[in-house]
Amino acid sequence: MRMRGGRRLPDGTDAGDTSEGGSSGGDASGGSSPPAPGTTTARRSASASSSAAPAPLPAGPLASPWVRGPAALLAGALPTLAFPAPGLGWFAHLALVPWLLLIRTARSPRRAALDGWLGGIGFVVAVHHWLMPSLHVFIVLLAALLGLLWAPWGLLVARLLGGAPTAPRAVAAVLVVPSGWLMIELVRSWEGLGGPWGLLGASQWEWGPALRVASVGGVWLVSLLVVAVNTGVALLIADRAARTAAAVLVVVCGLAVAAVAAWAPRPQSAGTVRIAVVQPGVVEGPGSVARRLDRGEELTRTLAGRGVDLVVWGESSIGAGAWQRPETARRLAELSRRVGADLLVNVDARQTDGSGRSGIFKSAVLVGPGGPTGDRYDKMRLVPFGEDGAARRLLGGATSVGKAAGEDRLRGDRRVVMTLPDGARGLRIGPLVCFETAFPDMSRRLVRDGAEVIVAQSATSTFQDSWAPAQHASLGALRAAENGRPMVHATLTGISAAYGPRGERVGRPLGTDASAAEVFDLPLARGETLYGRFGDWAVYGALAAIAVLCAVEGVRAFRKPVPGPL
């Protein structure tokens, strides 16, 4: 290597050497042109880090931010097709691939974070689009805020999938990218952010092997495996050097699902129970509360002589005016005697709870032949904007454009497991109300408290013609499979459905066009699933994977030599 002036740069290169091979070029007079400051150092640094840097932005249409932004929004919205009502469950294993491929081509961390944020907005709006009639413009504001959760995920994807991933980096990507996604699902599962609606694993509610996975690690483990498959497929497409490792990892995911399906503990049969669901149908206009009660009573009478153990009505099946009249309790008691079974009704009215608080509660109330039995569960997790007014207090009158309740509901303070009379073999039921079925921990705790059947009461009439009723009903399959206990989902207007202890559908669901009573023969089960025993261990594993990545990156940054002054 030629020396010019005897001075060398701190990295060992010659200060005057401007050629890659060590020779210098000259001008016409034979002199050499002075090198650009830092040219050789920059070239060497870029070469050393090329394997870890994100791939350069393509020269095609995606080079334009005006094209790339909408592309990110669309890519983030694609997973919605895997959920009901489209119900393309298989598509969930490929739906994230366009988004992953887009992020990996970001030419800067800022662009990668922006692609993640925009895709997150697309996902939130698409999954919750049926809320638009209620929240109007606020759905966009909420999506923009929640979409920020995907910005760090975009950085993570660019770091692990960008450039030319090596085999070790491909393995890390398949482990850590799904873990990052799970952290997003965990944060947005907080009740104040809308709850765990649209968890990616919930799209697999009809696939038997996925339900078996849910019995081991809950919906969280299903989400992890779905994102892992997407990451492996993205690696197969993106880089030839990583294809072998990616193919092996995808096969490993498939084998893991097969192993769980074959060897995970299965619920043990413990007989059957006959539960009826009363769905009065859409009742609107003047006197709707009274007409809803009349229709529920009429349908319940048709169940006489059918040997049912419990009759379940939907959420808010009895309004304030009706519940405050003594005649209502008499009518319900007469229905119980006629049918020969207790009724689980749902009251949306001003009441006083056991601790002396007075206000409007949404309560599951058990009624027997002698009237209300005293068993009552008050809804603990309230719908933001709709039932919990914290958002209204935060944003003031701006939320008046939505369809929120005129007065806040009060929150219950304890879980309740109700025991039916000996005529129903002392069956123990765990009630949930409305979107509480979206929270895996609530049904798990009820089962650990002794519930043999999970009973959910809901009303999605506000979103009758949207995808919401089908999405809500599908959650029952996950909750049943996670806990190894059957579940009944009863609504005012559909979809009402029932699921066995493995998450399998039982009987005929009642659609949104039905006004009917349906009887379900539910298989009971005993024993404990691995998810019931160990809980959210998949979440803790994802946290550990993220922590290991941060530790490795921190060590690398600490050990990296600091360049001296030129």
Side-chain angles (χ1 to χ4, degrees):
M1 181 177 292
R2 299 175 64 183
M3 300 284 293
R4 294 188 183 272
R7 187 172 61 89
R8 298 179 65 84
L9 296 177
D11 65 351
T13 59
D14 299 326
D17 193 354
T18 61
S19 65
E20 291 183 9
S23 61
S24 60
D27 57 17
S29 62
S32 60
S33 301
T39 299
T40 306
T41 304
R43 183 185 299 118
R44 290 174 180 259
S45 299
S47 174
S49 61
S50 61
S51 62
L57 193 67
L62 291 180
S64 168
W66 300 104
V67 176
R68 193 177 181 90
L73 286 168
L74 178 61
L78 286 178
T80 307
L81 299 177
F83 295 92
L88 304 178
W90 59 268
F91 183 60
H93 299 88
L94 302 172
L96 295 178
V97 172
W99 194 2
L100 293 168
L101 295 178
L102 178 70
I103 293 175
R104 77 177 294 271
T105 63
R107 59 184 170 191
S108 69
R110 180 179 178 182
R111 183 70 244 185
L114 184 60
D115 289 341
W117 177 54
L118 292 174
I121 293 175
F123 180 84
V124 173
V125 170
V127 170
H128 300 86
H129 72 275
W130 42 270
L131 284 172
M132 289 183 181
S134 296
L135 295 182
H136 300 286
V137 69
F138 285 100
I139 186 65
V140 179
L141 174 61
L142 291 174
L145 294 174
L146 288 176
L148 291 173
L149 295 173
W150 277 270
W153 186 72
L155 294 171
L156 188 66
V157 171
R159 174 68 182 87
L160 294 174
L161 298 185
T166 60
R169 192 145 61 93
V171 173
V174 172
L175 290 174
V176 179
V177 169
S179 297
W181 181 277
L182 201 62
M183 294 303 98
I184 298 171
E185 292 196 336
L186 179 65
V187 173
R188 72 183 185 88
S189 292
W190 178 48
E191 175 190 348
L193 294 178
W197 194 281
L199 302 184
L200 197 56
S203 67
Q204 304 303 294
W205 68 281
E206 290 184 293
W207 191 39
L211 293 173
R212 298 282 292 138
V213 171
S215 73
V216 173
V219 67
W220 311 111
L221 184 58
V222 182
S223 287
L224 273 175
L225 288 171
V226 169
V227 182
V229 171
N230 275 273
T231 307
V233 173
L235 285 167
L236 282 171
I237 297 172
D239 192 80
R240 182 178 302 175
R243 283 178 183 171
T244 301
V248 170
L249 292 168
V250 171
V251 171
V252 167
C253 289
L255 293 175
V257 173
V260 167
W263 294 311
R266 297 176 183 271
Q268 301 174 7
S269 177
T272 60
V273 64
R274 175 164 279 202
I275 296 180
V277 169
V278 172
Q279 179 177 298
V282 177
V283 179
E284 298 178 331
S288 60
V289 175
R291 287 189 289 125
R292 185 184 305 133
L293 176 58
D294 291 342
R295 181 57 177 161
E297 182 178 3
E298 178 184 353
L299 292 171
T300 303
R301 291 182 181 277
T302 66
L303 298 171
R306 300 187 63 179
V308 298
D309 298 302
L310 176 68
V311 179
V312 184
W313 289 17
E315 180 188 10
S316 302
S317 49
I318 301 179
W323 188 245
Q324 291 164 359
R325 291 196 298 267
E327 176 191 359
T328 301
R330 180 188 59 78
R331 291 169 61 182
L332 294 174
E334 191 277 330
L335 279 177
S336 176
R337 291 192 296 270
R338 184 183 184 91
V339 175
D342 282 10
L343 278 61
L344 186 69
V345 299
N346 192 274
V347 178
D348 187 1
R350 193 173 301 279
Q351 303 177 72
T352 301
D353 69 355
S355 62
R357 294 180 302 160
S358 294
I360 300 178
F361 291 90
K362 283 201 172 180
S363 306
V365 179
L366 193 64
V367 180
T373 65
D375 285 329
R376 167 181 154 189
Y377 165 69
D378 297 325
K379 185 177 181 181
M380 296 174 65
R381 295 186 179 170
L382 304 178
V383 179
F385 290 97
E387 297 167 346
D388 184 357
R392 289 199 298 272
R393 291 189 292 273
L394 178 64
L395 300 177
T399 59
S400 60
V401 298
K403 296 181 179 179
E407 183 178 343
D408 294 354
R409 272 46 180 168
L410 294 187
R411 189 184 307 273
D413 56 7
R414 62 188 180 93
R415 300 184 303 275
V416 175
V417 174
M418 303 176 181
T419 303
L420 300 185
D422 292 339
R425 292 168 296 176
L427 184 73
R428 306 191 73 194
I429 62 172
L432 296 172
V433 181
C434 191
F435 91 139
E436 290 181 332
T437 60
F439 295 86
D441 66 300
M442 295 200 70
S443 54
R444 175 175 175 265
R445 290 172 180 173
L446 283 173
V447 171
R448 292 185 68 84
D449 290 343
E452 298 171 271
V453 178
I454 305 167
V455 180
Q457 298 173 302
S458 179
T460 52
S461 54
T462 304
F463 315 105
Q464 188 72 5
D465 299 320
S466 71
W467 296 355
Q471 289 181 12
H472 200 177
S474 70
L475 296 174
L478 271 298
R479 303 293 87 85
E482 287 170 343
N483 299 285
R485 297 293 184 272
M487 179 166 177
V488 174
H489 181 79
T491 73
L492 286 180
T493 59
I495 297 173
S496 298
Y499 304 92
R502 299 180 183 179
E504 73 278 17
R505 195 196 302 269
V506 174
R508 179 180 65 92
L510 295 176
T512 54
D513 58 347
S515 175
E518 186 70 18
V519 177
F520 300 98
D521 290 313
L522 288 176
L524 296 175
R526 61 176 178 268
E528 191 175 26
T529 63
L530 292 178
Y531 176 72
R533 181 180 306 171
F534 298 112
D536 301 329
W537 63 267
V539 174
Y540 304 135
L543 281 167
I546 296 294
V548 169
L549 176 70
C550 292
V552 170
E553 292 294 329
V555 169
R556 285 180 177 174
F558 181 77
R559 296 178 62 182
K560 184 177 179 180
V562 179
L566 293 177

